[in-house]
């Protein structure tokens, strides 16, 4: 099995461990990831905030490249995933604007968008039947009962019609199921998909600290020893902006947890975290390999 | 605002509906959007009021509001709105309208962030996070905010010193400058 891979800007920088763990997990499952050549930034929140044209044109650039490559497109970043899905929805709407954009992009990229490429988020892909079977063979229930809070944030489930791959976007479950398959105990909690403030962390750090404080308090209240996310913005905000007062909770990427359960060497990823997760993992006997 | 005479006008509905793609006139003020919005504590207009103000044509109040810049684009509102109205998309349309009309953003630091982000994408095709942060700080004068955090990230190899670029710059540039993109 072969997939095209779109890391996006954060995964080449602040969330490098999300990219490294994603690549390692899929490699361990025998799935080949081929990074999309010459991908560009999706524009993220700033794109749709200030420039509607760019919010469609930038993702379209990447969608067309992916269609030329011919495989499904794997996207770990929740924000990139959301932008790509929103652009696909816009193009599928078939408005005059969409048709004009496609023509123009077709001239520039020498290929029009056809609406054939499947955009798959990492969580969605890991829950895919084919991958599920591969995981089933190799996963060890190494996380023996570790209570973890699966945190979905906004961009994987909203707007539901555009982005969600969950049966109930208000109560997402796919990450909880993955955690359970690794032997962890996903906790039931109230803030699974409350917003962390995303990119407002840079212009408004105090506001984001307030939002992060509510989320981590809820996770702690539910008995979680750590939080697990699938979004680089969520991970960065939760990892860096927990308010002083309580012992900070480690914040993992879902692929890091799966990597641990596959017996991969997670230390290089985990050393990049700001809240050090190593003491918790050592205490669980999970770092013997390194 | 209290002393100002409110003259309802529907002239704002059509352009905002067109630009945002949202059925603005369907809103019946049930407040579900506001009930779920995570950042109402920092807003001057509640999300349901944004929609109502568009219906009433209160453009100046909207364009000068903090709310249009404060919205985190979390899309909780549209997920729960019985009429499927995406208030983040309305806020985006209003932000763009405010900038086009030269209205000073009520949260200049948020506007400066978005501008610094897009400037970074424009120059290389990908965001260079370190460069973007420096540009943002120069623009807003917040030189010392988050410096310890930045250093921590740097030590863990989370910030690249040099930007990455695209191989086919001409192609990216042409797409960026496409019909309506040039102004950003
Ligand atoms: S939830 Fe929808 S209908 Fe209800 S007030 Fe908000 S925008 Fe209007
Ligand atoms: S998208 Fe904006 S207005 Fe809607 S709930 Fe989120 S922050 Fe509030």
């Amino acid at each position: 099995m072969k997939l095209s891979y779109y890391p996006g800007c954060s995964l080449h920088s602040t969330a490098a461990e999300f990219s490294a763990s994603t690549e390692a997990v899929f490699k361990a499952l025998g799935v080949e990831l081929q990074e999309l050549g010459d991908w560009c930034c999706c524009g993220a929140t700033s794109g749709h905030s200030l420039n509607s044209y760019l919010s469609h044109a930038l993702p379209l650039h990447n969608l067309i490249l992916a269609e030329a490559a011919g495989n499904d497109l794997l996207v770990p970043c929740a924000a990139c995933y959301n932008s790509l899905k929103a652009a696909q929805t816009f193009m599928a709407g078939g408005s005059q604007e969409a048709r004009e954009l496609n023509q123009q992009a077709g001239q520039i990229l020498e290929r029009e968008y056809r609406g054939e490429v499947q955009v798959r988020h990492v969580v969605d892909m890991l829950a895919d039947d084919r991958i599920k079977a591969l995981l089933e063979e190799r996963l060890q229930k190494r996380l023996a009962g570790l209570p973890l809070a699966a945190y979905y944030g906004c961009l994987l489930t909203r707007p539901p019609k555009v982005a969600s791959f969950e049966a109930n976007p208000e109560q997402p479950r796919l990450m909880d199921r993955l955690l359970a398959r690794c032997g962890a105990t996903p906790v039931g909690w109230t803030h699974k998909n409350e917003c962390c403030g995303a990119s407002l962390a840079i212009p408004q750090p105090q506001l984001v600290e307030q939002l992060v404080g509510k989320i981590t308090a809820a996770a702690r209240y539910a008995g979680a020893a750590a939080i697990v996310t699938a979004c680089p913005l969520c991970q960065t905000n939760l990892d860096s902006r927990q308010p002083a007062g309580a012992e900070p909770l480690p914040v993992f990427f879902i692929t890091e947890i799966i990597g641990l359960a596959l017996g991969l060497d997670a230390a290089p990823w985990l050393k990049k975290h700001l809240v050090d997760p190593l003491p918790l993992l050592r205490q669980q006997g999970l770092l013997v390999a390194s | 605002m209290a002393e100002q005479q409110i003259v309802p006008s529907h002239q704002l509905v059509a352009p905002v509906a067109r630009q945002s793609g949202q059925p603005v006139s369907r809103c019946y003020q049930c407040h579900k959007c506001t009930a779920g919005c995570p950042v109402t504590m920092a807003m001057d207009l509640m999300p349901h009021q944004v929609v109502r103000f568009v219906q009433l044509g209160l453009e100046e109040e909207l364009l000068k509001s903090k709310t249009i810049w404060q919205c985190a684009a979390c899309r909780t509102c549209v997920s729960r709105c019985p009429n499927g109205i995406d208030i983040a998309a309305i806020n985006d349309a209003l932000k763009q309208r405010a900038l086009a009309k030269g209205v000073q953003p009520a949260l200049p630091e948020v506007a400066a962030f978005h501008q610094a982000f897009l400037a970074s994408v424009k120059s290389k095709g990908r965001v260079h996070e370190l460069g973007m942060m420096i540009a943002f700080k120069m623009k807003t004068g917040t030189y010392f905010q988050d410096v310890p955090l930045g250093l921590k990230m740097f030590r863990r190899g989370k910030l690249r010193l040099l930007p990455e670029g695209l191989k086919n710059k001409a192609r990216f540039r042409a797409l960026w400058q496409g019909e309506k993109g040039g102004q950003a």
Side-chain angles (χ1 to χ4, degrees):
Chain A
M1 191 176 177
K2 198 166 159 183
L3 297 169
S4 291
Y5 181 57
Y6 176 71
C9 306
S10 300
L11 272 80
H12 270 206
S13 165
T14 45
E17 67 271 39
F18 193 14
S19 197
S21 56
T22 299
E23 289 170 52
V25 162
F26 279 87
K27 189 173 173 206
L29 297 176
V31 179
E32 190 186 331
L33 300 187
Q34 195 163 56
E35 187 165 324
L36 211 59
D38 234 23
W39 57 266
C40 70
C41 170
C42 73
T45 317
S46 301
H48 69 68
S49 291
L50 298 192
N51 191 319
S52 314
Y53 167 80
L54 290 177
S55 76
H56 301 130
L58 298 181
L60 193 66
H61 173 271
N62 300 316
L63 290 168
I64 292 175
L65 295 185
E67 280 189 344
N71 299 308
D72 288 359
L73 184 63
L74 182 72
V75 187
C77 172
C80 298
Y81 165 78
N82 199 286
S83 301
L84 290 163
K85 293 295 267 189
Q88 286 194 305
T89 305
F90 173 76
M91 296 309 290
S95 63
Q96 195 186 331
E97 235 183 314
R99 289 200 307 269
E100 281 170 15
L101 172 63
N102 203 11
Q103 257 175 17
Q104 198 184 339
Q107 279 165 13
I108 296 167
L109 294 160
E110 290 163 12
R111 189 187 163 104
E112 287 199 3
Y113 171 70
R114 303 179 192 161
E116 289 161 0
V117 62
Q118 297 286 326
V119 175
R120 309 287 303 262
H121 184 261
V122 161
V123 171
D124 174 30
M125 202 66 215
L126 289 169
D128 182 280
D129 284 337
R130 293 166 294 176
I131 303 286
K132 222 156 119 183
L134 295 172
L135 271 178
E136 221 55 72
E137 284 171 31
R138 294 172 175 81
L139 270 188
Q140 302 153 36
K141 298 216 178 256
R142 296 186 66 217
L143 279 95
L146 188 65
L148 297 175
Y151 175 61
Y152 298 79
C154 306
L155 297 162
L156 293 182
T157 54
R158 291 192 290 262
K161 282 187 193 135
V162 173
S164 183
F165 42 78
E166 296 273 353
N168 178 355
E170 287 279 357
Q171 289 293 339
R173 308 192 47 177
L174 292 182
M175 272 205 282
D176 292 74
R177 291 210 188 116
L178 284 166
L179 293 177
R181 257 189 250 131
C182 298
T185 305
V187 301
W189 67 309
T190 47
H191 282 54
K192 275 188 164 180
N193 43 10
E194 284 296 313
C195 178
C196 73
S199 60
L200 289 175
I202 294 165
Q204 298 183 308
Q206 294 86 356
L207 178 91
V208 168
E209 194 175 303
Q210 206 179 331
L211 297 174
V212 167
K214 288 185 196 174
I215 293 162
T216 47
R220 212 175 269 116
Y221 181 74
I227 297 177
V228 182
T229 164
C231 169
L233 288 138
C234 295
Q235 201 277 345
T236 300
N237 284 350
L238 292 173
D239 198 28
S240 64
R241 300 191 189 271
Q242 293 186 38
E247 187 64 23
L249 292 172
V251 188
F252 294 99
F253 285 110
I254 182 73
T255 42
E256 294 176 328
I257 297 290
I258 304 228
L260 280 167
L262 289 169
L264 304 178
D265 180 10
W269 317 326
L270 301 175
K271 279 184 188 144
K272 287 194 172 273
H273 289 211
L274 300 180
V275 178
D276 185 4
L278 298 178
L280 173 72
L281 296 177
R282 255 184 230 118
Q283 188 191 317
Q284 301 286 318
L286 279 166
L287 277 182
V288 272
S290 50
Chain B
M1 215 170 60
E3 70 276 12
Q4 195 185 322
Q5 205 185 356
I6 293 179
V7 186
S9 147
H10 299 291
Q11 275 164 17
L12 196 57
V13 173
V16 171
R18 197 181 327 109
Q19 204 185 338
S20 66
Q22 299 309 306
V24 180
S25 47
R26 276 197 216 150
C27 170
Y28 43 51
Q29 294 291 294
C30 72
H31 297 204
K32 279 186 83 173
C33 47
T34 298
C37 176
V39 290
T40 49
M41 71 290 204
M43 286 174 161
D44 48 7
L45 289 177
M46 295 299 111
H48 71 277
Q49 289 177 309
V50 168
V51 191
R52 191 70 181 130
F53 276 36
V54 174
Q55 290 176 340
L56 293 174
L58 299 173
E59 184 168 19
E60 203 183 328
E61 288 80 353
L62 285 165
L63 300 191
K64 287 184 176 164
S65 76
K66 288 185 193 166
T67 296
I68 59 172
W69 297 100
Q70 188 58 70
C71 172
C74 75
R75 321 251 176 200
T76 307
C77 47
V78 54
S79 307
R80 298 176 185 171
C81 172
N83 295 305
I85 299 172
D86 185 343
I87 299 174
I90 295 176
N91 288 331
D92 286 346
L94 293 168
K95 285 195 274 279
Q96 291 170 35
R97 226 175 146 78
L99 292 180
K101 295 195 171 200
V103 178
Q104 183 62 33
L107 298 175
E109 67 282 12
V110 177
F113 166 73
H114 291 316
Q115 280 157 348
F117 187 99
L118 287 184
S120 180
V121 183
K122 184 182 182 179
S123 80
K124 295 282 169 194
R126 294 181 187 172
V127 173
H128 178 231
E129 286 170 326
L130 184 61
M132 183 261 291
M133 288 296 293
I134 293 168
F136 167 74
K137 289 185 176 303
M138 300 299 280
K139 227 172 183 170
T140 53
T142 53
Y143 307 109
F144 302 110
Q145 180 177 293
D146 278 342
V147 167
L149 174 59
L151 288 174
K152 258 198 209 170
M153 293 188 129
F154 189 72
R155 274 200 298 274
R156 285 174 177 71
K158 280 177 169 277
L159 293 172
R160 268 177 194 253
L161 270 182
L162 296 175
E164 298 186 299
L166 301 195
K167 281 189 225 99
N168 198 333
K169 289 191 188 71
R171 193 169 72 175
F172 176 76
R173 196 132 287 245
L175 192 66
W176 183 281
Q177 279 162 352
E179 227 181 337
K180 295 160 205 154
Q183 75 272 35

